[in-house]
Amino acid sequence: MVTRWKYWNASMSKIAKALILSISLGLPPLASAFPLNSKKAPESLEDLLEIQAALQAALPNAEAATVCVDLGEGTGSGVIVSKDGLVMTAAHVSTAVGKKVTIIMEDGTKLKAETLGLMAETDAALIQILEDAPNENGYPFVEVNQTDDTKLGDWVFSLGHSGGFKKERGAVVRIARLVRMANNTIQTDGTLIGGDSGGPLFDMDGRLIGIHSRVGPQLPVNMHVPVRVFLDSWDRMMKSEFIGEGPFAQKPEIGKGFLGVGTEPVDGGLEITKVGKGSPAENEGLVVGDVIKSFNGEKTETKERMKELLAEMAPGDKLELEIIRDGKNETIKMQLGSR
Amino acid sequence: MEKMKRSRCSSVRARLAVLWLACAGVVSAQQSLETTFRITGDTVLAVFSPQAEVIQKCSAVFYDGRDEIAYGVVISEDGYVLTKASEIEGIEDLSVRVDKESYKDVVVISVDARWDVALVKVDGERLEPAVFAESSDLAQGTWVVVNGATSRTKRRVLAGVISANAREIPADGGVVLGVELGNDKDKLVIKAVTEGGGAETAGMQAEDILKAVDGVEVKDLEGLVEALEGKKEGDKVSISLIRKKESLELEVELSARGELFAEADRNDQMSGDFSKRRSGFPRVIQHDILANSQTMGGPVINLEGHLVGMNIARANRAETFAIPVEELRELSERMLRESKN
């Protein structure tokens, strides 16, 4: 999988910056404990107001860092964890490695982004925003609680763009307690719905402790991926690895990559004679008459050769095409679709 | 809790979600928080007992026979109650319980279709009405308390927080009369009348020819869309018809297209029981408290025990809307005033 990336460097500087962050994430975090977590339940009005005050103190930054992940065919949520725009989300939201997605900020700003690695078995994934932050402070981001010190009964809160991005409404907050813990899952009683997937679960200090994953048949059953799962495979995900097999994401199958053109050999390459409606080729603006000279640096002189090259590729793979259009050389960078 | 009317809420399954659940790790019993300490648990809710005393007095329960169908807000000592109109519409065996008292004679005084609120009168005496707060302008994350379940004698509370910005909820998909139109040239012939829509209630029929909306002539679909532009869900329009060569005037209440025609989407399937009428509100506040369609209409109070809103729609699994107290005060004053004219 990784080797197939050698052709694609457009976003590498961003990703390299993010790699540096993975080291800074290794710094010892600040110790903090929300006092009410030591009580089995709030006992007084003062206790309730303490929960409310902590929640309201944490909300502005938590909301600024909570994003909508727009996939075109649907939306999920995510949360920014570095000033360079690294986003944590769920694997069933990102669905693939190296996929182009749009990140929508709290104020509606849309940003180009690309999915990094994911863990298909535990529903963890990373996304990198590819655009520069509006100012030197970088993107708003939240601290990741790396201490793994959350425990049963802790007060927590969920944020997410429930049912999709609605600017007037904003992200939806839900107060909850941590009601079950397992190796790869934590459960809370704050109700989630479609669109929340990939969104953040916070402790009362506003530190990220989990990512929304799925719900059970009852309202109080809401499952999250603990940040520990992310941290365990952090470097592999940063290197855009597709880790594990399903159920939250399916590995693209080699040979199923789809371009969507018909060609005939001419001098210098293959001339496009047909462009499939709605195909990746059409979406990238390839037109009849373009001559394909090479395919990821490999010369395409015969139809058979191009077929061979395509047979080694999978949906979502990056493709760099050298073409001749109106007598001029051009390079087209695109991603294959699915057959 | 299970006995107290939560069952319908949890019975609907989201297929996909269940499939994924099967993949979740095995959770041992020791790692599970006892129910009583959960956000809907007795120990946690015990701290809200001052608010529960308020809810006990000012949250009414509406019954169809023995079935609870909605809650309401007691707004006067002599038995005026506000509730969600669409939940009590057409119920013949309507009764109301306030505190421990049951009232069999229930008079629906008036309905405000835009807000989906009904003003109801029971023969109460010395009831303890809700105390209206000055403002519903509560920061996101502020505790609120509602009537979450009930028994014959006791209202049970649930608590949560203000979860999103106050805003308008426009009619889902725009407003419609509730008819299917034919393709005839130069005239609007009704092909069918949609069940449950305003056109059906008003008595529109297939083969009727639509001539005008609010006195403005309409000849085609564009004309009709134009005539309904700017109208809100619950608004009434005057429809001029030709039926068997005779002219006819009908008053039709507008519905939200999405509520009348749309199929349940994946989020709806996941949500379980949600309110039939859940859009077309001029302004709402939103909270995160578990609810279902039968727990709408009741008071939303703050920690001081003052009314900050009235639950008006269970939109989905994660979102519940309430009419803000400012609008509710104005609405209740207007409806009371009109009832006495």
Side-chain angles (χ1 to χ4, degrees):
Chain A
M1 196 71 197
V2 179
T3 53
R4 276 196 247 125
W5 287 92
K6 66 186 173 190
Y7 306 111
W8 194 255
N9 290 315
S11 54
M12 270 307 171
S13 63
K14 263 283 171 199
I15 293 169
K17 267 194 229 163
L19 271 167
I20 295 164
L21 168 98
S22 77
I23 299 159
S24 71
L25 267 175
L27 292 172
L30 298 167
S32 172
F34 180 59
L36 247 291
N37 284 341
S38 60
K39 287 189 182 178
K40 287 215 147 192
E43 290 156 6
S44 61
L45 180 64
E46 288 67 37
D47 286 354
L48 289 175
L49 293 175
E50 200 174 311
I51 293 170
Q52 180 175 303
L55 174 59
Q56 290 179 341
L59 267 176
N61 187 55
E63 288 193 318
T66 297
V67 298
C68 177
V69 181
D70 190 350
L71 301 153
E73 69 268 33
T75 67
S77 297
V79 62
I80 305 176
V81 294
S82 84
K83 67 178 200 175
D84 290 330
L86 184 66
V87 175
M88 283 167 70
T89 187
H92 80 271
V93 171
S94 80
T95 67
V97 170
K99 183 173 173 166
K100 295 274 188 290
V101 297
T102 303
I103 295 292
I104 308 175
M105 304 292 288
E106 191 182 23
D107 66 358
T109 307
K110 293 186 175 182
L111 301 167
K112 287 183 183 134
E114 183 178 305
T115 62
L116 303 183
L118 64 84
M119 300 174 73
E121 282 166 27
T122 46
D123 209 12
L126 296 177
I127 296 174
Q128 178 64 52
I129 297 173
L130 299 175
E131 297 182 38
D132 287 327
N135 58 55
E136 61 189 16
N137 295 329
Y139 289 106
F141 69 98
V142 296
E143 186 191 335
V144 177
N145 181 357
Q146 296 174 70
T147 58
D148 207 12
D149 62 354
T150 47
K151 57 186 193 313
L152 219 52
D154 277 2
W155 287 90
V156 295
F157 67 96
S158 286
L159 278 176
H161 291 284
S162 317
F165 183 79
K166 295 178 185 117
K167 192 178 167 188
E168 300 278 292
R169 179 197 65 185
V172 178
V173 64
R174 279 134 291 175
I175 186 87
R177 298 193 85 174
L178 218 156
V179 300
R180 265 171 202 261
M181 298 178 84
N183 284 341
N184 293 329
T185 311
I186 47 185
Q187 183 183 322
T188 69
D189 50 14
T191 313
L192 304 174
I193 193 161
D196 281 321
S197 290
L201 177 71
F202 294 102
D203 65 20
M204 296 310 279
D205 296 308
R207 296 175 305 174
L208 186 72
I209 57 169
I211 290 293
H212 311 324
S213 173
R214 55 209 181 274
V215 302
Q218 284 105 24
L219 289 174
V221 180
N222 301 278
M223 318 290 262
H224 319 257
V225 184
V227 294
R228 173 180 12 86
V229 168
F230 282 79
L231 297 174
D232 286 349
S233 298
W234 190 263
D235 291 344
R236 292 177 69 192
M237 277 204 284
M238 291 302 299
K239 287 179 201 152
S240 294
E241 271 191 60
F242 189 114
I243 305 167
E245 302 276 344
F248 295 109
Q250 300 301 328
K251 235 177 200 164
E253 208 177 314
I254 289 173
K256 290 268 169 87
F258 180 58
L259 179 59
V261 293
T263 60
E264 288 299 334
V266 292
D267 274 355
L270 293 170
E271 183 176 326
I272 297 177
T273 55
K274 258 190 284 180
V275 178
K277 219 172 180 184
S279 67
E282 187 189 63
N283 293 339
E284 289 299 328
L286 286 172
V287 290
V288 170
D290 289 348
V291 175
I292 302 173
K293 277 170 65 184
S294 75
F295 217 87
N296 287 339
E298 304 274 342
K299 283 218 162 91
T300 45
E301 283 165 347
T302 64
K303 288 166 87 165
E304 290 69 32
R305 181 63 186 141
M306 191 165 93
K307 223 179 223 176
E308 274 170 31
L309 292 167
L310 263 177
E312 290 168 19
M313 301 182 74
D317 276 2
K318 305 276 161 73
L319 179 62
E320 192 174 306
L321 288 177
E322 274 188 290
I323 64 164
I324 306 170
R325 178 177 292 168
D326 303 328
K328 286 182 201 144
N329 288 320
E330 282 187 39
T331 304
I332 295 198
K333 287 177 177 180
M334 60 179 296
Q335 273 178 292
L336 286 182
S338 158
R339 192 176 291 277
Chain B
M1 195 71 184
E2 279 67 25
K3 272 189 213 143
M4 298 175 95
K5 210 67 195 191
R6 309 285 323 220
S7 53
R8 221 204 273 184
C9 214
S10 54
S11 64
V12 179
R13 281 155 196 270
R15 258 181 295 157
L16 198 57
V18 172
L19 176 82
W20 283 350
L21 265 187
C23 311
V26 177
V27 181
S28 74
Q30 290 86 342
Q31 288 175 306
S32 178
L33 188 69
E34 283 172 68
T35 311
T36 189
F37 298 118
R38 297 187 182 194
I39 206 148
T40 53
D42 288 341
T43 309
V44 170
L45 291 174
V47 75
F48 294 97
S49 54
Q51 292 79 26
E53 279 175 38
V54 174
I55 293 285
Q56 177 73 26
K57 302 290 183 187
C58 77
S59 176
V61 185
F62 283 75
Y63 296 85
D64 172 11
R66 301 179 64 154
D67 295 334
E68 291 151 25
I69 54 170
Y71 293 146
V73 182
V74 177
I75 56 166
S76 78
E77 287 180 25
D78 60 346
Y80 281 98
V81 178
L82 297 176
T83 187
K84 181 166 170 65
S86 56
E87 295 296 335
I88 62 159
E89 195 184 341
I91 305 291
E92 281 171 19
D93 190 10
L94 195 63
S95 67
V96 171
R97 192 180 286 278
V98 178
D99 197 357
K100 288 165 187 160
E101 206 67 47
S102 179
Y103 301 94
K104 304 289 180 202
D105 292 323
V106 183
V107 184
V108 179
I109 305 283
S110 63
V111 167
D112 183 287
R114 187 174 278 196
W115 284 102
D116 194 23
V117 167
L119 176 68
V120 166
K121 178 77 172 67
V122 298
D123 285 330
E125 274 176 34
R126 289 191 294 277
L127 302 184
E128 294 179 37
V131 177
F132 284 52
E134 282 297 311
S135 162
S136 68
D137 186 15
L138 307 171
Q140 204 178 7
T142 304
W143 284 111
V144 285
V145 181
V146 306
N147 190 178
T150 186
S151 69
R152 281 167 58 89
T153 55
K154 203 170 167 221
R155 307 298 92 80
R156 188 191 158 95
V157 296
L158 283 174
V161 296
I162 296 293
S163 59
N165 299 326
R167 66 199 185 280
E168 182 187 355
I169 307 293
D172 180 11
V175 291
V176 292
L177 298 170
V179 293
E180 278 177 57
L181 294 163
N183 289 328
D184 309 69
K185 217 177 164 193
D186 295 333
K187 58 179 177 180
L188 281 169
V189 182
I190 310 299
K191 223 171 85 189
V193 178
T194 313
E195 209 182 315
E200 185 195 52
T201 312
M204 281 174 80
Q205 296 174 5
E207 307 301 324
D208 285 353
I209 301 166
L210 185 56
K211 296 301 280 184
V213 176
D214 285 340
V216 179
E217 195 185 357
V218 290
K219 287 179 174 166
D220 50 24
L221 194 58
E222 286 76 45
L224 178 59
V225 169
E226 216 168 275
L228 296 181
E229 207 173 83
K231 303 274 186 217
K232 306 274 185 188
E233 191 170 359
D235 284 359
K236 287 197 168 104
V237 290
S238 172
I239 297 290
S240 311
L241 295 172
I242 305 284
R243 180 179 297 165
K244 291 176 185 150
K245 293 185 181 152
E246 283 183 36
S247 294
L248 204 62
E249 288 279 328
L250 292 175
E251 198 163 65
V252 177
E253 191 178 307
L254 301 174
S255 315
R257 182 191 306 275
E259 287 170 5
L260 204 53
F261 295 106
E263 302 256 314
D265 65 16
R266 184 169 164 260
N267 274 356
D268 291 340
Q269 289 165 8
M270 201 190 281
S271 290
D273 178 36
F274 54 82
S275 299
K276 289 189 293 288
R277 166 82 193 268
R278 53 177 173 167
S279 76
F281 303 111
R283 196 170 79 99
V284 300
I285 53 175
Q286 183 174 331
H287 62 76
D288 69 343
I289 306 173
L290 298 187
N292 59 43
S293 67
Q294 310 138 67
T295 63
M296 291 299 102
V300 182
I301 63 171
N302 59 19
L303 290 181
E304 288 79 55
H306 296 162
L307 189 77
V308 295
M310 169 178 149
N311 276 329
I312 199 62
R314 175 62 165 171
N316 59 52
R317 198 174 188 276
E319 300 181 276
T320 299
F321 302 149
I323 301 174
V325 68
E326 294 86 345
E327 282 84 350
L328 193 66
R329 181 186 294 114
E330 198 213 299
L331 186 63
S332 67
E333 282 169 3
R334 175 162 52 81
M335 291 177 92
L336 281 174
R337 196 169 56 238
E338 285 167 2
S339 78
K340 278 156 193 169
N341 287 345

